[in-house]
Amino acid sequence: MAIRLRNPGRNAMVRRFFLLRLAVSVAALFILVPSTTAALVMTRNEEVGSSSSLPSDLYSSGLHYARRSVLAVRSDPLRARADLIRKQVGDHAAVAATYASFARRLKLESSKQTRLFAELARNLSLLVGAHRTLLHRGAPIDEAAVRGFERGVKDRIRAARLLISDAKDSFDNQLKIQKLKDTIFAVNEQLSKAKKAGAFSSLIAAKSIPRSLHCLAMRLMEERIAQSDRYVDPPTPPPELEDPKLYHYAIFSDNVLAASVVVNSAVRNAREPWKHVFHVVTDRMNLGAMQVMFRMKDYSGAHIEVKAVEDYKFLNSSYVPVLRQLESANLQRFYFENKLENATKDTTNMKFRNPKYLSMLNHLRFYLPEMYPKLHRILFLDDDVVVQRDLTGLWKIDMDGKVNGAVETCFGSFHRYAQYMNFSHPLIKEKFNPKACGWAYGMNFFDLDAWRKEKCTEQYHYWQNLNENRTLWKLGTLPPGLITFYSTTKPLDKSWHVLGLGYNPSISMEEINNAAVVHFNGNMKPWLDIAMNQFRRLWTKYVDYDMEFVRQCNFAA
């Protein structure tokens, strides 16, 4: 059946349009094919040139990867297979080199693993270098060569995987150890800062004057001013103060309450307290308070002398090295310069920056024969001790011509002379034995006649002058005491003097109860809030809580 076209002119126009588009497409194809072929040839030539310069060391130059033309119609399966093998070799060589690098950085105990990884990476690199001609883009390739290359690669890859599997646990452990070391180092840094801050805070707590103690001194001083006639010294000192037949004590302190506890404890435990004489020396500022404190009660007939350092006129800067050194600008800057870094620079020896170590009250102990010229023997007591039994037995000890009777504190390698002095200094090294046993200040029995004979004060002056720049020992009174009485100290039985109640909580109560004198040396003084509660009662039971001024200042029992 014939179909009649409605609009033959329009149909002819559509056919001409499609024929024109077909002609344009064919023309474009003929124009593009030659340029694409040229680009393909140029790409292959570049690849051949690049392959010819393949380096033998895969670590310095990296792996070479083949570039492929997106319009390549044909592909060589052997070439693709060789490229894949080469990529596997490069990957495993990089892994082996990385493990070797980590092994060196972690410093593994077994250097064998480091060597094995390095050799494995080198062998893989050499294997690629040996088949360089096979990997050339322009070189002919055959299946036998590719199979040989593949067998060598498989053996080495198998060895690499086995080595990595065996070493993985070791590497994981080493990485964890390294991370733990880094953490420990960071924590140690924080701990060091915390210790420094804690030491500084502890020093402030230990050396500050509590409000109650300051209150007591002010109340006593107020009483001294209000009742001045009542506390005037007699025109003639009592003869008992210079009687060598009595038992004499020396107490040097600026702490009113602490000094009263020492006297109270000694008097209460004395069999014949009226035969005991206490020489209390303080500074001018606390003299009035001390006078009131010791004249408000009887002390069972014991004799008490209260004087100020300034009353001893021979103690001046022309005679006393410590007073002369206090006038030096360097020492004043060391002690009194108001800079935080000066106070916290050396945590271990921070306490030696306290000016009290150059206080004349601390160094009075080296002038006992001149302060009490008519006495033969005297017992020196620190203000942080408590007497627990009668001490007259000390006067019966044969001193064997020695000057200082003291309890030795050394045990093992602790508290030897080497810990107190600078034995790198030739003079110290020549004169003293670093292993010599140290002893303690706090309760020391001195034979003043032997002292004068040995000229110990002159010896003290000699060494104190040499140490003006603190090159022989740190500051304080124990090192010069150890030097001054180096060969003139008689060891006493340890039950006479038990130390450590101000820092050592592990002292047994049996040892404390058997002691004649217990010593609260350390930062935790019994009058401070930081005192150890288990030892505090040993001290507080000798505080005069019945005294009006003590009650007014709210001292805790």
Side-chain angles (χ1 to χ4, degrees), residues 307-513:
K307 297 185 74 173
V309 176
E310 292 79 6
D311 294 332
Y312 298 93
K313 302 303 180 183
F314 71 92
L315 296 174
N316 52 63
S317 59
S318 62
Y319 177 65
V320 179
V322 167
L323 293 178
R324 185 168 58 254
Q325 290 166 10
L326 271 175
E327 297 174 356
S328 70
N330 288 337
L331 210 59
Q332 288 182 10
R333 185 162 53 251
F334 177 80
Y335 276 114
F336 304 110
E337 193 171 46
N338 189 21
K339 290 185 177 180
L340 184 62
E341 59 268 22
N342 285 349
T344 59
K345 186 185 299 181
D346 187 354
T347 306
T348 305
N349 298 309
M350 190 186 299
K351 64 177 183 179
F352 294 115
R353 302 188 70 90
N354 193 317
K356 83 160 196 171
Y357 287 101
L358 277 185
S359 166
M360 199 57 227
L361 281 176
N362 263 340
H363 289 261
L364 276 182
R365 64 194 70 186
F366 294 103
Y367 299 96
L368 289 171
E370 295 162 281
M371 296 172 67
Y372 311 107
K374 295 184 179 181
L375 301 182
H376 303 303
R377 292 185 171 190
I378 194 168
L379 180 63
F380 168 78
L381 294 176
D382 265 341
D383 64 357
D384 54 354
V385 305
V386 171
V387 179
Q388 299 191 130
R389 71 168 187 249
D390 185 77
L391 298 179
T392 56
L394 288 168
W395 276 261
K396 300 175 184 177
I397 293 176
D398 184 1
M399 292 290 287
D400 299 322
K402 303 294 185 181
V403 177
N404 171 34
V407 171
E408 292 183 332
T409 57
C410 62
F411 59 96
S413 61
F414 296 98
H415 298 288
R416 303 285 178 177
Y417 269 48
Q419 293 182 272
Y420 300 101
M421 302 170 210
N422 178 19
F423 273 87
S424 63
H425 195 286
L427 194 57
I428 294 291
K429 187 176 181 180
E430 177 187 353
K431 296 291 185 179
F432 304 101
N433 179 8
K435 296 182 180 179
C437 188
W439 44 267
Y441 268 129
M443 191 213 76
N444 302 81
F445 188 73
F446 291 109
D447 187 330
L448 300 183
D449 292 333
W451 186 314
R452 298 180 185 102
K453 181 180 178 181
E454 295 290 341
K455 299 182 178 180
C456 292
T457 301
E458 287 82 349
Q459 286 290 320
Y460 161 71
H461 283 178
Y462 169 76
W463 288 101
Q464 191 69 42
N465 283 325
L466 289 177
N467 194 49
E468 183 172 358
N469 294 324
R470 304 178 302 279
T471 56
L472 304 183
W473 68 83
K474 299 290 185 182
L475 293 167
T477 54
L478 182 54
L482 294 174
I483 290 176
T484 301
F485 306 113
Y486 176 55
S487 58
T488 58
T489 296
K490 180 180 177 64
L492 301 179
D493 187 270
K494 293 186 182 297
S495 63
W496 281 110
H497 185 194
V498 171
L499 299 102
L501 277 71
Y503 70 90
N504 184 6
S506 62
I507 303 174
S508 69
M509 290 307 300
E510 180 181 1
E511 186 179 3
I512 290 173
N513 293 332

Side-chain angles (χ1 to χ4, degrees), residues 205-208 210 255 258 356-357 382-385 501-503 519-532 535-536 539:
K207 305 307 177 186
S208 299
N255 187 325
K356 83 160 196 171
Y357 287 101
D382 265 341
D383 64 357
D384 54 354
V385 305
L501 277 71
Y503 70 90
H519 194 173
F520 289 84
N521 58 311
N523 284 340
M524 301 179 184
K525 301 298 184 187
W527 54 84
L528 299 175
D529 292 335
I530 60 175
M532 287 185 278
F535 302 142
R536 185 183 176 91
W539 186 83

Side-chain angles (χ1 to χ4, degrees), residues 58 94 235 249 274 300 333 403:
L58 292 177
Y249 301 77
W274 57 89
S300 302
R333 185 162 53 251
V403 177

